[in-house]
C-alpha cells in the first residue's frame, strides 16, 4: 500500500513473541500486496486490470470480498462511489508520473467509456468479470479490509487488547496496560500542520477519516482533490473538507468515509442520518471550518469521554 502500519497489543497466555507475530503479519501483508496492489504489474488485480473487455478471471477472496462490499455502496450512492475509477485517477494525474492538469473534454469522454461498476460482475463460480475494459482501484477500503484480517489473526492468538493502524485507518479494542483506554486524535483539516481537533477513546470501534486536505494539487488557483465522483469523472468540488466514520469493521469505516466524502456536506449528511452512521463532518466556511457529528457519533463520543 506504499505506506506504514503499527500494531500495539497486550500479550495473552498463548500469544507469540513480538518477532514471530511481526513475521506472521508481514507475510499476510505480502500476500495481500500480491493480490490487490495497483502499484505493481504482477498483482492479481493488475492482471485483471490489464485484461480485455469481456474477460472473466478467478480472483483471490480478498478481491471478491471487497467487490461485494462496494456493490452495495455503489447502488446506495447512485453510482458516485465506484471502484472502477482507476483510469480517472491516472487521467487527472493522481497515479504518479502524469501531468497535473484538467483533461480535455474528449479525453474525459473516452475514459468514461471504461468506468462504471455496473459493468463489473461476480459469477456464481466466483470468477470476476468485466463487460468493458475496466481498471479497479480498491484503495478506498483495502487498508480497512486488511486491518480486519489482522484483528482476526490476533484473536486466533487470544489477543483481545490491541490497536491496529494501517495508512491512517485503525481499530482498537480492550484496554492498554494500567487499564487505560486506547485514545486516538481526529485531525483538524489544515494544510500546514497537524492539529488534533478531538480525542476519542475506542473499544471495539474502527475509525477512518477521508479528506481533500492532504492529497490534492492546484492548477491556476483551482484545487483538485484525489476523491472522484464516478458519475461525472471529475474530482469532488464541494465544501466538505473531511469526514470521520466509526464502525465495527475497519473495511466498512474505510469505505463509508470515502462514500460520504464523495457525496459532500449535504447528500453525505442526509445519507449518514438515514443510515444511522456515526460520522463527524468538517465543512469549509470561507477561511474557517464548521464541524458537526451525527447523533450516533455524538453518543459514542460522549460515552467515551
Amino acid at each position: 500500500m506504499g505506506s506504514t502500519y503499527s500494531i500495539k497489543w497486550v500479550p495473552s497466555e498463548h500469544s507469540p513473541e513480538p518477532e514471530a507475530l511481526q513475521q506472521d503479519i508481514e507475510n499476510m501483508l505480502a500476500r495481500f500486496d500480491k493480490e490487490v496492489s495497483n502499484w505493481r504489474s504482477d498483482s492479481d488485480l493488475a492482471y485483471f486490470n490489464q485484461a480485455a473487455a469481456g474477460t472473466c478471471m478467478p480472483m483471490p477472496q480478498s478481491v471478491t470480498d471487497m467487490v461485494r462490499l462496494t456493490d452495495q455502496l455503489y447502488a446506495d450512492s447512485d453510482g458516485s462511489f465506484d471502484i472502477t475509477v482507476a483510469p480517472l485517477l491516472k487521467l487527472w494525474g493522481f497515479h504518479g508520473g502524469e501531468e497535473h492538469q484538467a483533461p480535455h473534454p474528449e479525453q474525459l469522454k473516452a475514459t468514461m467509456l471504461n468506468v462504471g461498476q455496473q459493468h463489473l460482475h461476480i459469477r456464481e463460480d466466483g470468477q470476476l468479470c468485466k463487460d468493458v475494459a475496466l481498471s479497479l482501484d480498491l484503495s478506498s477500503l483495502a487498508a480497512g479490509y486488511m486491518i480486519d484480517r489482522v484483528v482476526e489473526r490476533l484473536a486466533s492468538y487470544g489477543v483481545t487488547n490491541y490497536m491496529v493502524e494501517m495508512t491512517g485507518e485503525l481499530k482498537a479494542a480492550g484496554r492498554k496496560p494500567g487499564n487505560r483506554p486506547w485514545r486516538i486524535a481526529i485531525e483538524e483539516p489544515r494544510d500546514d500542520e497537524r492539529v488534533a481537533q478531538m480525542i476519542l477513546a475506542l473499544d471495539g470501534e474502527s475509525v477512518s477519516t477521508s479528506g481533500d486536505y492532504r492529497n490534492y494539487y492546484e492548477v491556476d488557483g483551482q484545487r483538485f482533490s484525489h476523491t472522484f465522483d464516478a458519475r461525472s469523472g471529475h474530482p469532488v468540488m464541494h465544501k466538505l473538507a473531511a469526514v470521520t466514520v466509526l464502525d465495527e469493521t475497519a473495511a466498512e469505516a474505510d469505505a463509508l468515509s470515502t462514500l460520504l466524502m464523495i457525496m459532500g456536506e449535504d447528500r453525505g449528511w442526509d445519507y449518514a442520518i438515514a443510515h444511522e452512521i456515526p460520522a463527524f463532518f468538517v465543512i469549509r466556511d470561507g477561511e474557517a471550518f464548521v464541524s458537526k457529528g451525527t447523533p450516533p457519533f455524538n453518543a459514542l463520543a460522549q460515552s467515551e469521554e
Side-chain angles (χ1 to χ4, degrees), residues 1-2 25 35 41-42 56 58-59 71 73 75 111 126 132 137 146 154 171 214 220 227 256 261 270 281 291 301 304:
M1 286 177 268
I25 298 301
E35 292 170 353
S41 60
D42 63 343
C56 289
M59 298 298 287
D71 276 344
L73 300 180
T111 300
V132 299
D137 188 315
M146 198 59 201
L154 293 176
K171 181 172 184 175
R214 290 291 177 202
D220 297 329
T227 304
L256 283 171
M261 189 68 206
D270 292 343
F281 287 66
S291 59
E304 294 159 352

Side-chain angles (χ1 to χ4, degrees), residues 14-30:
H14 303 292
S15 61
E17 292 299 313
E19 294 79 10
L21 181 59
Q22 181 175 3
Q23 188 60 58
D24 189 11
I25 298 301
E26 292 198 349
N27 288 340
M28 291 176 63
L29 292 173

Side-chain angles (χ1 to χ4, degrees), residues 145-173:
Y145 178 86
M146 198 59 201
I147 287 173
D148 292 332
R149 304 291 78 75
V150 169
V151 166
E152 291 174 354
R153 184 59 58 89
L154 293 176
S156 73
Y157 292 124
V159 174
T160 58
N161 300 284
Y162 59 81
M163 182 173 71
V164 179
E165 177 270 327
M166 293 183 188
T167 76
E169 319 297 331
L170 63 84
K171 181 172 184 175

Side-chain angles (χ1 to χ4, degrees), residues 12 39 48 80 108 132 172 187 273:
S12 70
W39 300 97
F48 181 79
S80 295
L108 180 59
V132 299
E187 188 175 283
I273 293 295

Side-chain angles (χ1 to χ4, degrees), residues 96-132:
E98 303 91 359
E99 186 176 356
H100 285 167
Q101 65 177 16
H104 188 277
E106 289 302 317
Q107 288 181 297
L108 180 59
K109 183 178 179 180
T111 300
M112 289 291 287
L113 294 175
N114 292 320
V115 173
Q117 200 158 331
Q118 73 272 19
H119 302 300
L120 185 69
H121 315 283
I122 300 176
R123 291 197 327 199
E124 290 186 5
D125 62 3
Q127 291 199 59
L128 189 64
C129 305
K130 55 182 176 180
D131 302 329
V132 299

Side-chain angles (χ1 to χ4, degrees), residues 77-278:
S77 66
D78 297 323
S80 295
F81 180 96
D82 192 317
I83 58 172
T84 71
V85 295
L88 294 174
L89 292 168
K90 182 177 178 64
L91 180 67
W92 287 81
F94 283 101
H95 263 181
E98 303 91 359
E99 186 176 356
H100 285 167
Q101 65 177 16
H104 188 277
E106 289 302 317
Q107 288 181 297
L108 180 59
K109 183 178 179 180
T111 300
M112 289 291 287
L113 294 175
N114 292 320
V115 173
Q117 200 158 331
Q118 73 272 19
H119 302 300
L120 185 69
H121 315 283
I122 300 176
R123 291 197 327 199
E124 290 186 5
D125 62 3
Q127 291 199 59
L128 189 64
C129 305
K130 55 182 176 180
D131 302 329
V132 299
L134 301 176
S135 294
L136 312 187
D137 188 315
L138 296 168
S139 59
S140 59
L141 74 161
Y145 178 86
M146 198 59 201
I147 287 173
D148 292 332
R149 304 291 78 75
V150 169
V151 166
E152 291 174 354
R153 184 59 58 89
L154 293 176
S156 73
Y157 292 124
V159 174
T160 58
N161 300 284
Y162 59 81
M163 182 173 71
V164 179
E165 177 270 327
M166 293 183 188
T167 76
E169 319 297 331
L170 63 84
K171 181 172 184 175
R175 311 283 283 186
K176 294 192 292 185
N179 198 34
R180 294 174 297 162
W182 302 100
R183 295 187 179 275
I184 62 98
I186 296 178
E187 188 175 283
E188 182 178 327
R190 293 174 56 173
D191 299 327
D192 55 342
E193 58 182 318
R194 296 183 182 272
V195 178
Q197 179 168 356
M198 177 184 296
I199 306 295
L200 291 178
L202 301 180
D203 186 4
E205 295 88 17
S206 304
V207 60
S208 174
T209 297
S210 293
D212 69 354
Y213 59 99
R214 290 291 177 202
N215 193 357
Y216 68 93
Y217 63 82
E218 292 186 0
V219 176
D220 297 329
Q222 179 68 61
R223 183 188 187 105
F224 294 102
S225 163
H226 75 297
T227 304
F228 280 76
D229 187 325
R231 298 176 307 170
S232 67
H234 286 256
V236 297
M237 302 294 287
H238 47 58
K239 295 180 180 179
L240 184 58
V243 60
T244 296
V245 169
L246 300 177
D247 194 272
E248 182 178 343
T249 74
E252 288 271 7
D254 200 357
L256 283 171
S257 67
T258 303
L259 180 148
L260 297 179
M261 189 68 206
I262 293 170
M263 285 185 163
E265 69 273 18
D266 295 324
R267 285 180 65 219
W269 178 261
D270 292 343
Y271 183 91
I273 293 295
H275 291 79
E276 299 182 341
I277 298 171

